[in-house]
Amino acid sequence: MRLGVAASLVGDALVPGDVSVDSGRVSGLGLAPAGAAGLAVPGFVDVQVNGVAGVDFLSADAGGYARASRALARTGVTAFQPTLVSSPIESVGKAIATLAMLDPMPGARVLPAHLEGPFLSPLHHGAHDPRHLLAASREVADSLCGLGPVGYVTVAPEIEGGLALVRHLVSRGLVVSLGHTDADADAAAAAFDGGARAVTHVFNAMRRWAPRDPGVSGVALSRPDVFVTAIIDGVHLARETVQLLLAAAGSRLVLITDAIEAAGLGDGTYHLGDREVHVRGDEARLADGTLAGSVLAMDRAIRNLISAGASLELAVGAATRAPARLLGRPDLGELRVGGNADIVVLDGSLEVARTLVAGGEVYAA
């Protein structure tokens, strides 16, 4: 099957010509004759999304996941990590067990869960209910991971037992990110040396950078082995901060949405776990004004990043190759002959025109 596109983004190269797909795989790139319009790029990968389209992943059933999968595909996402915020352990366990029973989805692929908590700092709990935070515990972590697919955990390494938990989770093959943390530079460096691979929504809910106390954000930006995840929605980070990230992190920058169930639905009152969230415009906040996730879509995050000065190649890479590398998933985030045909076709305004997962069309504008 030919897609009829004018060009494709293969690595950092714009390749003129059409793309073909057969049996769920990319079978040709740069084919003549080229289509009339459209740019084929790898499917987007979101490593932090709490919900979308009225679905909160902490309480979602199989039908909710199907609705979310379709909604995310409309924004170009072809694979996502359901993110579970700090909540009663029983609720988190039930959500993980639901993941274990899911059938293949009609839209974006469901990846193993991202546990954003409960092993976080009470000093930087953000929108997380501090009543649900716990000291770092291998036993609790292992119990949760035993209930279903978990692939990624955000940890504050400076809390009691935090560094040991980082090392333990890494030894189990999980991706560890540092976030909601008061870690100083030494604690952050020790955790990264212990195998942590990323920082969660950089500059938000963490110790502030200072000239002689750079904290986790400063350490992450200074290390070439650390990925930096960021919410580029015009709310969480100033434009100049985004430009700093582009200069310092470059290809290590990973776009996340941190979207909540309100994404795609407009203003109103919603939930993030058991917390009530008020949405107005682009802002999602608790009653006290604390930011509580976002209503961002991944295609818009890419356009926002380009507006801040990123090249098309870097911006798309921040939603495709970079998160795939962070997760250690060479089957995601790349267009290559023989690779998975998870593909997004963008129009001239970089809006999503089509989304394909395993070569099957799951969205068409």
Side-chain angles (χ1 to χ4, degrees):
M1 177 180 72
R2 295 275 288 258
L3 300 187
V5 297
S8 57
L9 184 61
V10 181
D12 285 329
L14 279 172
V15 177
D18 204 355
V19 174
S20 62
V21 171
D22 290 291
S23 302
R25 301 280 176 176
V26 177
S27 56
L29 296 165
L31 303 177
L39 173 68
V41 302
F44 307 151
V45 180
D46 196 348
V47 303
Q48 186 162 345
V49 54
N50 310 285
V52 65
V55 177
D56 184 300
F57 293 132
L58 264 167
S59 57
D61 58 12
Y65 268 99
R67 292 194 302 276
S69 172
R70 293 189 190 97
L72 289 169
R74 289 196 294 270
T75 69
V77 173
T78 58
F80 68 98
Q81 286 190 147
T83 300
L84 309 177
V85 298
S86 303
S87 302
I89 289 298
E90 297 79 10
S91 299
V92 178
K94 183 178 179 180
I96 296 170
T98 297
L99 274 175
M101 298 183 292
L102 292 179
D103 293 325
M105 289 289 108
R109 304 171 187 267
V110 182
L111 302 176
H114 171 179
L115 301 186
E116 191 189 12
F119 313 117
L120 309 177
S121 168
L123 297 176
H124 299 282
H125 59 83
H128 292 238
D129 190 330
R131 297 175 300 170
H132 301 323
L133 303 184
L134 298 177
S137 167
R138 296 185 188 186
E139 292 73 23
V140 172
D142 286 347
S143 174
L144 291 173
C145 291
L147 295 173
V150 175
Y152 193 110
V153 185
T154 292
V155 176
E158 80 286 356
I159 65 173
E160 181 181 354
L163 181 57
L165 180 61
V166 168
R167 292 169 174 158
H168 175 68
L169 294 170
V170 169
S171 74
R172 287 190 55 136
L174 278 72
V175 176
V176 176
S177 183
L178 307 186
H180 289 273
T181 172
D182 197 45
D184 62 14
D186 289 343
F192 290 131
D193 288 343
R197 292 173 54 81
V199 60
T200 295
H201 46 54
V202 68
F203 293 126
N204 285 272
M206 61 186 56
R207 188 186 190 103
R208 290 196 173 192
W209 183 92
R212 290 170 295 282
D213 183 14
V216 66
S217 59
V219 175
L221 288 171
S222 73
R223 290 182 61 133
D225 59 337
V226 174
F227 291 89
V228 178
T229 77
I231 309 166
I232 312 297
D233 62 350
V235 177
H236 283 79
L237 299 170
R239 177 182 175 87
E240 293 82 3
T241 307
V242 175
Q243 291 170 334
L244 171 66
L245 293 179
L246 287 171
S251 64
R252 296 182 291 119
L253 179 61
V254 173
L255 289 174
I256 57 173
T257 64
D258 201 20
I260 66 170
E261 66 173 5
L265 297 183
D267 292 356
T269 300
Y270 300 92
H271 287 85
L272 174 60
D274 58 7
R275 312 224 77 182
E276 188 172 85
V277 180
H278 305 278
V279 172
R280 185 170 182 177
D282 292 335
E283 299 186 8
R285 296 183 182 270
L286 303 182
D288 66 3
T290 301
L291 285 170
S294 86
V295 291
L296 182 65
M298 189 60 80
D299 60 329
R300 185 177 169 197
I302 290 171
R303 294 192 296 272
N304 289 346
L305 194 58
I306 292 170
S307 178
S311 66
L312 170 68
E313 294 83 357
L314 192 151
V316 171
T320 57
R321 283 188 299 156
R325 287 167 51 216
L326 167 58
L327 297 180
R329 293 289 301 263
D331 57 320
L332 301 175
E334 295 273 3
L335 279 186
R336 58 181 176 83
V337 173
N340 279 339
D342 291 358
I343 301 171
V344 177
V345 178
L346 301 175
D347 66 17
S349 299
L350 302 183
E351 301 275 354
V352 176
R354 296 175 70 188
T355 304
L356 291 83
V357 174
E361 186 173 85
V362 295
Y363 170 71

